[in-house]
Amino acid sequence: MSASNSPKAGFGPGIAAPAQKAGEAVIDRAFAVLGAFDAEHRVLPLAGLVQRTGLPRSTALRLARKLTETGALERLGDGRYVIGLRLLEIASLAPRGHGLRAVAMPYLEDLFHVTHQHILLAVRDGDAATLVERLSAHDASPAHFRVGGRMPLTGTGVGLVLLAHAPADVQEHFLERFEPGQSYDGVRTAESLRRVLAEVRRGGYAIGSKAGPEPHTTAAAPIRDADGVVAAVSVVAPSADFDAAIYVPAVRATARAVSRAMNDTRRIG
C-alpha cells in the first residue's frame, strides 16, 4: 500500500485528503464573497456577487445564504446583500485594529484639536496599509480613505513610515516593482524611494506632498511597541495650509505618546 493510500495519512475512516482541500476551497470562496464588497459596492445583488467573484451562480447563492445564516451577511428586503454585524463583532477583537484604536484615540483627538486636519492611524497588512481610524473636520479637504480600507504604502505618509520599518524583503519587493507616479512628488525612481525610506528611519518621520488632483501634504511618524514599529499616525492637510514647524513635532509627539500608552497597557495586562 502506498503512503498516499495508507490509513496512516491521518484523515481517519471515511475521510480522505481531498475533503480537506475542499474545505479549504469553501473558505476561500466564502472570503471571495465577503471580499466582493468594498467602498463602492456596499450593497450587492446575487448577480453582483457572481460578477465580482467569478463563482457559479449556484455556488454564490449557497455561500450567500450560509453567510447570512451566520450573520456575516445580511439580506435586505429587496434581496440584495450587505455585510453583517457579526463581522464587526469579530473584527472588534483584532488587537491591531480596535485594540490599537482604543489606546490611541485620546491622543489622536488631541492631535486633531491642535491641527483641525485629517488624522490617520494605520497598520501594515501585507503590501498595503489598513486604515484603523480617521478623524476629519467638517470643512477639511476631501479624503478618499475609509476606516478599514487599504491604502498604498508608497503613496501615503503612514504607508511610507510602515514600509520604511518593514522587513527588508518587503521593501525590496516595492523597490523592484517601483513605477513613476506610485509615490509622492519628487520620488520618481526606485533609488529615490530607497533614499526616502532611509531618511524616514533616520529622522523618525515622513513628509510627502502631491500636487494633484487635490494638492496635499502629509507628515507621519511611527508607533512602536516592544517588538518594533506596529503602526503609524499622520496629519494630512492642503499643501497651502501645511506648516511643517507645527505638524511634524505634533505628529511625532502623538506617536511617542501612543507608543508609551501601548507599552504601559502591555505591562499592566
Side-chain angles (χ1 to χ4, degrees):
M1 182 179 292
S2 67
S4 60
N5 295 325
S6 170
K8 296 180 180 180
F11 297 103
I15 302 177
Q20 184 181 25
K21 293 181 180 179
E24 293 172 352
V26 169
I27 294 174
D28 291 340
R29 293 184 187 126
F31 270 92
V33 170
L34 296 174
F37 296 87
D38 59 25
E40 286 73 42
H41 302 85
R42 295 175 183 269
V43 183
L44 286 172
L46 178 61
L49 293 177
V50 172
Q51 179 182 12
R52 290 179 58 76
T53 62
L55 295 172
R57 181 181 177 86
S58 60
T59 301
L61 176 59
R62 182 175 69 253
L63 289 170
R65 286 175 172 171
K66 189 62 179 177
L67 289 168
T68 300
E69 291 176 8
T70 62
L73 290 182
E74 294 178 6
R75 190 168 185 267
L76 303 179
D78 60 5
R80 295 183 299 167
Y81 294 92
V82 297
I83 293 294
L85 289 177
R86 178 61 174 156
L87 288 186
L88 177 61
E89 179 184 351
I90 295 172
S92 68
L93 301 175
R96 292 206 304 148
H98 287 263
L100 168 64
R101 177 189 177 277
V103 173
M105 198 64 184
Y107 307 99
L108 301 183
E109 290 176 340
D110 288 345
L111 182 60
F112 173 74
H113 289 308
V114 169
T115 64
H116 297 287
Q117 300 293 348
H118 297 298
I119 308 301
L120 307 184
L121 176 68
V123 299
R124 186 175 69 86
D125 183 16
D127 60 358
T130 295
L131 186 60
V132 175
E133 182 57 87
R134 188 190 91 194
L135 302 179
S136 301
H138 292 299
D139 57 350
S141 58
H144 303 288
F145 301 121
R146 64 179 178 84
V147 174
R150 292 168 68 80
M151 307 183 298
L153 290 180
T154 57
T156 58
V158 287
L160 285 175
V161 167
L162 294 170
L163 181 58
H165 294 279
D169 61 324
V170 175
Q171 296 183 38
E172 290 302 321
H173 169 82
F174 280 89
L175 291 166
E176 291 171 2
R177 293 162 177 77
F178 181 81
E179 295 180 5
Q182 290 182 336
S183 192
Y184 282 106
D185 298 343
V187 185
R188 297 186 175 89
T189 66
E191 282 309 307
S192 61
L193 175 60
R194 190 187 297 276
R195 287 194 296 272
V196 166
L197 297 179
E199 290 170 1
V200 171
R201 289 190 293 271
R202 183 170 55 253
Y205 66 93
I207 291 184
S209 296
K210 284 188 177 181
E214 293 159 354
H216 69 272
T217 301
T218 182
I223 294 172
R224 307 171 186 270
D225 67 4
D227 299 321
V229 172
V230 294
V233 60
S234 72
V235 170
V236 181
S239 295
D241 300 332
F242 188 86
D243 188 344
I246 295 176
Y247 291 163
V248 171
V251 169
R252 296 186 70 187
T254 299
R256 289 194 294 267
V258 176
S259 298
R260 287 193 298 268
M262 289 183 62
N263 287 313
D264 289 345
T265 300
R266 173 176 288 189
R267 284 193 293 269
I268 293 172

